[in-house]
Amino acid sequence: MTPAPDLPAPATERLRESEEQLRLALEASDTGVWTWDLGTDAVTWSPECYRIHGLTEEEFDGTGAGFFQCVHPDDRERVERTVRAASESRGRYDCEFRILRHGGGVLWVANRGRATYGAAGRPLRMVGTITDVTQRKRAEEELQRARSLLQAVIDGSTALVFAKDLEGRYFLTNQGWLDFVGLSAEQAAGITDEEAFGPEVAARVQANDRRVLETGEQLAFEESAMVRGRSVTYLSSKFPLTGPDGRVYAICGVSADITELKRTQAALAAREQELQTLTNALSEQDRRKDEFLATLSHELRNPLAPLRNGLAVLRMGCSQDQAAKVLGMMDRQLGLMVHLVDDLLDLSRVSRGKITLRPERLTVREVVDAAVEACRPAIHAKEHALEVNLPAEPLEVQGDRTRLVQVLSNLLTNAAKYTDAGGRLYLTAAREGGQAVLRVADNGVGIAPELLPTIWDMFSQVRETLDKAQGGLGIGLSLVRKLVEMHGGTVAAESPGLGRGSTFTVRLQLAEAVHPRTEVPPAALGSDPALRLAPVQP
């Protein structure tokens, strides 16, 4: 550009310097300057325009049509529409599009311009710039691809991914989070924890957020919520997001659903507890088995020594009176052994379902009489007083006579065994609803409350009272319960505590009503003062 001749030399120099600075700036920014005469369609390019398009002055026809031929076919219509709109509305022309370089290749350019108008308001020309923005567009495309990839990974995750600003408003959520709360992306934008989960859950979540902000570290929390009627537990890993200035501007988090894991852990813990309980029970059963074997050995040895001594005395010869006493002693000891073996066999048969009941219609008094007669020696030996109270009406049950007598005999023998000499035993029977209820009570050593549930177990004896038992395998009560249950009845034990006696209650279903009959008086128990029978009053 040649300066006007009438300009002072300093002004001319300053103008030249400004033009040079502008030229250097345009070269550095890959920017060219162009002018388009809208009346003649003539286009004037600066050297940078030719370089950007890869054309020489001879190769470019210098027209608007020639310029549009350089625009990528896919962008041409859009560019023409934008230029036309700018020229008609006196607006600015600003458009980014692709051009086809001469000799091959595609560049992205930013084309900006503005129209000038004549006195009549007609557009005269457009003046503007064109800048090569290919590198920026490629960087933007790479960034967009990276964002798309990141979003795809986030949305494809089964975990919940989210970010919220310091006011607690969500600005980033993945598809899993949206599905969890049942909202669309538009609905979730700017939502708060109170709006998404309610005030109770929000309070816990926000307390965890504050801890993250206070520590500035990544922390993990278990967070539970009730969403759409479903209780869920999430393991949430939260960490602060910082800007270029190092200041925290948001909290980001990833939450994994551990609801099923927690349920599995709880189930495993329960199973472990069950296994531990079973192990303890087996250990206890094993201990009782060892105690039982030791007791069995002792109980079987006790009668053998007197029997051996009795045989020795008989072999040496003795008087008839002495022989009678020895034989009586041997008979009693043999009876003890037979009783032990019978109990063992009966319990084994019951446990294996090998016992068959022979039910018949019989009265409670018949059972009581037979049981008292069977227990007479044990009661007599400890000089106990037995009081029997039976109702005047006949109580009839359907059962196996032998087994019911065995039940009552075991309870009476047990009462005699665990009551100090000269004690009192009580046997009563009564109608309660449709049941015959028999109770065997004593004023003996009693049972501690914590031991009541275990007395029915096989080989069980109350340790605090073993010295009172005077023998026995601890299987009598277990056999009693099994036999009563075989008759469709129940048996229960009560005791106010140690030293305060105990009561055993047997309940049996009454048989259907029959014609009244005269009740047979109970068998006399003899005149022994240690054994007394008190009849019930009508």
Side-chain angles (χ1 to χ4, degrees):
M1 179 181 293
T2 303
D6 56 343
L7 289 176
T12 302
E13 184 62 27
R14 286 195 299 273
L15 179 59
R16 184 181 296 111
E17 289 177 355
S18 296
E19 289 178 345
E20 181 63 18
Q21 289 175 356
L22 177 59
R23 184 185 65 80
L24 292 174
L26 292 173
E27 288 181 358
S29 62
D30 284 337
T31 300
V33 178
W34 52 266
T35 303
W36 181 19
D37 189 320
L38 298 177
T40 65
D41 197 33
V43 174
T44 302
W45 279 358
S46 71
E48 287 76 18
C49 290
Y50 287 104
R51 183 177 56 77
I52 290 173
H53 287 81
L55 293 172
T56 64
E57 293 187 22
E58 291 77 15
E59 293 170 332
F60 179 53
D61 65 2
T63 66
F67 161 73
F68 283 115
Q69 287 299 316
C70 296
V71 178
H72 194 285
D74 293 343
D75 298 340
R76 193 171 297 158
E77 182 181 351
R78 175 171 59 86
V79 173
E80 290 176 349
R81 186 171 59 252
T82 305
V83 171
R84 187 181 310 111
S87 64
E88 293 175 354
S89 62
R90 293 178 178 266
R92 294 179 62 87
Y93 161 60
D94 192 343
C95 188
E96 291 186 358
F97 53 89
R98 290 165 292 176
I99 62 172
L100 301 174
R101 297 192 82 227
H102 185 70
V106 176
L107 293 182
W108 274 95
V109 296
N111 212 346
R112 296 177 177 85
R114 188 163 189 171
T116 61
Y117 296 83
R122 292 183 59 187
L124 301 177
R125 67 177 59 85
M126 292 190 73
V127 179
T129 62
I130 185 169
T131 304
D132 184 355
V133 295
T134 303
Q135 290 186 349
R136 176 173 66 80
K137 294 295 287 187
R138 288 176 179 169
E140 289 176 353
E141 290 173 356
E142 288 295 327
L143 179 60
Q144 184 58 41
R145 279 196 291 269
R147 286 176 175 171
S148 298
L149 176 61
L150 178 61
Q151 190 65 43
V153 172
I154 291 175
D155 285 338
S157 172
T158 57
L160 313 185
V161 182
F162 57 88
K164 47 189 170 181
D165 60 26
L166 298 184
E167 294 182 354
R169 297 192 174 278
Y170 287 87
F171 63 87
L172 183 148
T173 53
N174 73 336
Q175 191 60 45
W177 193 94
L178 296 174
D179 293 341
F180 173 63
V181 297
L183 298 175
S184 66
E186 292 75 17
Q187 292 171 325
I191 198 172
T192 64
D193 289 313
E194 287 87 351
E195 295 167 329
F197 308 114
E200 184 177 346
V201 174
R204 296 196 298 267
V205 170
Q206 290 165 2
N208 295 337
D209 292 348
R210 286 193 293 272
R211 287 184 57 191
V212 173
L213 293 175
E214 290 168 0
T215 62
E217 299 176 352
Q218 179 174 343
L219 300 175
F221 311 92
E222 283 191 11
E223 297 178 329
S224 299
M226 181 70 71
V227 178
R228 290 180 289 173
R230 176 174 174 256
S231 177
V232 293
T233 302
Y234 277 85
L235 180 62
S236 298
S237 177
K238 299 182 177 181
F239 51 91
L241 294 177
T242 56
D245 58 357
R247 300 178 63 181
V248 175
Y249 69 92
I251 293 177
C252 188
V254 179
S255 299
D257 188 346
I258 60 171
T259 306
E260 291 304 320
L261 175 62
K262 296 289 288 184
R263 289 175 181 167
T264 301
Q265 289 175 340
L268 288 175
R271 182 59 58 87
E272 288 178 0
Q273 183 62 40
E274 291 175 1
L275 290 175
Q276 186 60 49
T277 302
L278 179 59
T279 300
N280 293 341
L282 291 175
S283 298
E284 177 65 14
Q285 196 72 6
D286 187 61
R287 183 194 60 76
R288 289 180 179 175
K289 180 260 298 178
D290 291 340
E291 288 184 357
F292 164 71
L293 291 176
T295 304
L296 176 61
S297 300
H298 179 73
E299 292 298 324
L300 290 176
R301 277 181 61 186
N302 282 346
L304 290 177
L307 288 173
R308 180 182 296 171
N309 292 336
L311 288 174
V313 170
L314 293 176
R315 286 194 184 100
M316 289 186 302
C318 58
S319 66
Q320 287 187 350
D321 290 342
Q322 290 176 329
K325 291 180 180 179
V326 170
L327 289 173
M329 177 274 295
M330 294 177 68
D331 184 64
R332 289 192 298 275
Q333 297 301 324
L334 185 60
L336 287 175
M337 291 186 67
V338 171
H339 180 72
L340 290 174
V341 174
D342 284 346
D343 274 358
L344 281 172
L345 290 175
D346 283 343
L347 187 61
S348 175
R349 293 191 190 103
V350 171
S351 299
R352 292 182 292 119
K354 297 298 184 180
I355 283 186
T356 301
L357 297 181
R358 295 178 174 80
E360 59 177 307
R361 199 182 190 98
L362 66 156
T363 66
V364 168
R365 182 177 293 276
E366 294 173 44
V367 176
V368 169
D369 289 348
V372 169
E373 183 63 27
C375 296
R376 180 195 296 272
I379 297 173
H380 175 80
K382 297 194 68 174
E383 299 184 344
H384 292 320
L386 171 64
E387 181 176 325
V388 180
N389 288 301
L390 301 178
E393 65 169 319
L395 300 178
E396 294 190 329
V397 296
Q398 193 80 10
D400 186 307
R401 180 189 302 269
T402 301
R403 296 305 177 186
L404 289 180
V405 170
Q406 187 177 4
V407 166
L408 209 53
S409 298
N410 277 0
L411 292 178
L412 284 170
T413 301
N414 213 52
K417 195 182 294 184
Y418 287 98
T419 300
D420 291 334
R424 297 191 65 82
L425 311 182
Y426 306 89
L427 172 56
T428 64
R431 174 195 292 270
E432 293 184 9
Q435 293 180 324
V437 180
L438 295 91
R439 289 184 174 88
V440 176
D442 61 67
N443 63 345
V445 296
I447 305 170
E450 66 272 14
L451 296 177
L452 278 171
T454 68
I455 63 173
W456 307 103
D457 297 338
M458 192 181 298
F459 316 140
S460 175
Q461 288 182 331
V462 181
R463 291 185 179 82
E464 292 83 347
T465 58
L466 276 175
D467 58 327
K468 309 288 184 182
Q470 300 177 357
L473 299 177
I475 62 176
L477 292 181
S478 178
L479 182 59
V480 164
R481 182 175 66 175
K482 292 180 182 298
L483 289 174
V484 171
E485 289 175 351
M486 288 179 67
H487 281 80
T490 62
V491 60
E494 300 174 75
S495 176
L498 291 176
R500 303 178 64 183
S502 56
T503 301
F504 288 82
T505 303
V506 176
R507 296 179 179 273
L508 298 171
Q509 197 67 27
L510 285 168
E512 294 180 357
V514 295
H515 295 295
R517 68 179 186 179
T518 303
E519 189 70 22
V520 179
L525 295 178
S527 59
D528 192 329
L531 191 63
R532 297 186 293 275
L533 178 66
V536 69
Q537 298 298 321

